[in-house]
Amino acid sequence: MAQVRKRQVEQRLEEVRAMMHTMIDNPSLLDAFPEEVFVPLNVELSSLFAPARLELLRNISKHRLTVGEMAHAVHRKIPAVSRDLKLLEKYGLVRFHNEGRRKYPELVRHFVVLPLDGPTGHGKVSQHAMVA
Amino acid sequence: MSFVVNYVANISGHEYSVVRYDTAHGFPHKDICLPKGRALRKEPMMRADMSDLVDVAIDDLKEHWEMYRRRFERWLK
């Protein structure tokens, strides 16, 4: 059991390492990075923060667009963008603001808290990457 | 650009910063944290660039996080 937990921690730390290197190599991504989000151990960071989703986060941080306008801005189909935004909403990175029939995604947070040594969050690595 | 990697442990329902790696203010360092929040000591992290500093922080945590946690739990008693 302890070995399994240790492996989970090591895997999560490697994901954090990869994510931070991505941030360092692409500083513009920092503009969009969420403030605080709890990511369960069974969610791969590389999947949640895939380039297409980071592009959505970056756009949300800079522009106030509906889901359809966002899809147009990033040259993707509306259902795919909608699916990604719902996933980002599920993990607390994005919320939706409704104005009549128009629905605007908004950024919620600016740094990441990652459960480190247990699926219930007993112990976490938090990481804050920012432009100084 | 700067970053903070902060190992936050949930111990008996409370969250504590146990170790913090901080590259801000031109002085990359590791903070060994005490239960009341202040740092026991600041250890300089001497590396060439931000990418190396990330690796130092993650490697140190991978190797020592259990020891950091156990020691912190002792300090709490």
Side-chain angles (χ1 to χ4, degrees):
Chain A
M1 190 64 185
Q3 279 303 314
V4 171
R5 183 180 172 204
K6 194 170 167 59
R7 271 202 303 277
Q8 283 181 325
V9 170
E10 289 182 1
Q11 185 181 340
R12 179 43 52 108
L13 284 169
E14 285 305 327
E15 291 177 7
V16 171
R17 185 202 305 270
M19 188 169 65
M20 292 186 75
H21 280 301
T22 302
M23 294 293 170
I24 289 168
D25 294 342
N26 305 279
S28 64
L29 296 176
L30 293 171
D31 295 345
F33 213 65
E35 183 180 334
E36 185 176 3
V37 58
F38 289 84
V39 184
L41 280 172
N42 61 356
V43 174
E44 280 187 33
L45 287 182
S46 55
S47 157
L48 184 61
F49 296 112
R53 294 187 185 125
L54 285 171
E55 189 180 13
L56 289 179
L57 291 172
R58 189 166 55 242
N59 266 282
I60 295 167
S61 74
K62 289 182 175 169
H63 310 290
R64 191 163 184 275
L65 301 172
T66 63
V67 177
E69 290 165 343
M70 182 70 65
H72 181 72
V74 298
H75 310 292
R76 295 177 61 199
K77 291 190 163 58
I78 292 175
V81 167
S82 181
R83 197 167 49 242
D84 277 356
L85 289 172
K86 280 179 186 158
L87 183 78
L88 295 170
E89 181 188 31
K90 178 179 171 186
Y91 290 108
L93 286 91
V94 163
R95 66 172 165 239
F96 287 97
H97 176 73
N98 294 318
E99 283 185 16
R101 294 176 60 190
R102 297 170 73 83
K103 198 172 177 181
Y104 295 91
E106 298 174 342
L107 264 192
V108 178
R109 300 164 188 281
H110 292 293
F111 73 93
V112 174
V113 178
L114 306 164
L116 178 61
D117 56 356
T120 55
H122 292 291
K124 299 186 285 287
V125 168
S126 66
Q127 159 186 307
H128 183 188
M130 61 185 181
V131 178
Chain B
M1 182 192 294
S2 65
F3 72 83
V4 177
V5 173
N6 187 13
Y7 172 33
V8 181
N10 187 319
I11 301 170
S12 304
H14 292 87
E15 293 192 338
Y16 300 95
S17 280
V18 175
V19 187
R20 199 166 42 230
Y21 309 83
D22 189 347
T23 68
H25 318 303
F27 169 52
H29 61 276
K30 175 168 82 173
D31 286 327
I32 305 292
C33 303
L34 290 168
K36 289 194 174 175
R38 65 189 173 84
L40 171 67
R41 62 175 180 270
K42 289 183 187 291
E43 297 176 1
M45 295 164 67
M46 301 297 184
R47 286 297 184 279
D49 61 28
M50 203 62 73
S51 202
D52 285 346
L53 287 165
V54 167
D55 288 336
V56 169
I58 299 296
D59 288 342
D60 187 57
L61 263 185
K62 267 180 83 172
E63 193 170 345
H64 300 299
W65 69 273
E66 289 170 296
M67 180 275 287
Y68 290 142
R69 184 185 174 107
R70 280 197 299 271
R71 182 176 64 184
F72 195 89
E73 285 172 338
R74 280 201 307 276
W75 289 344
L76 274 172
K77 288 176 184 167

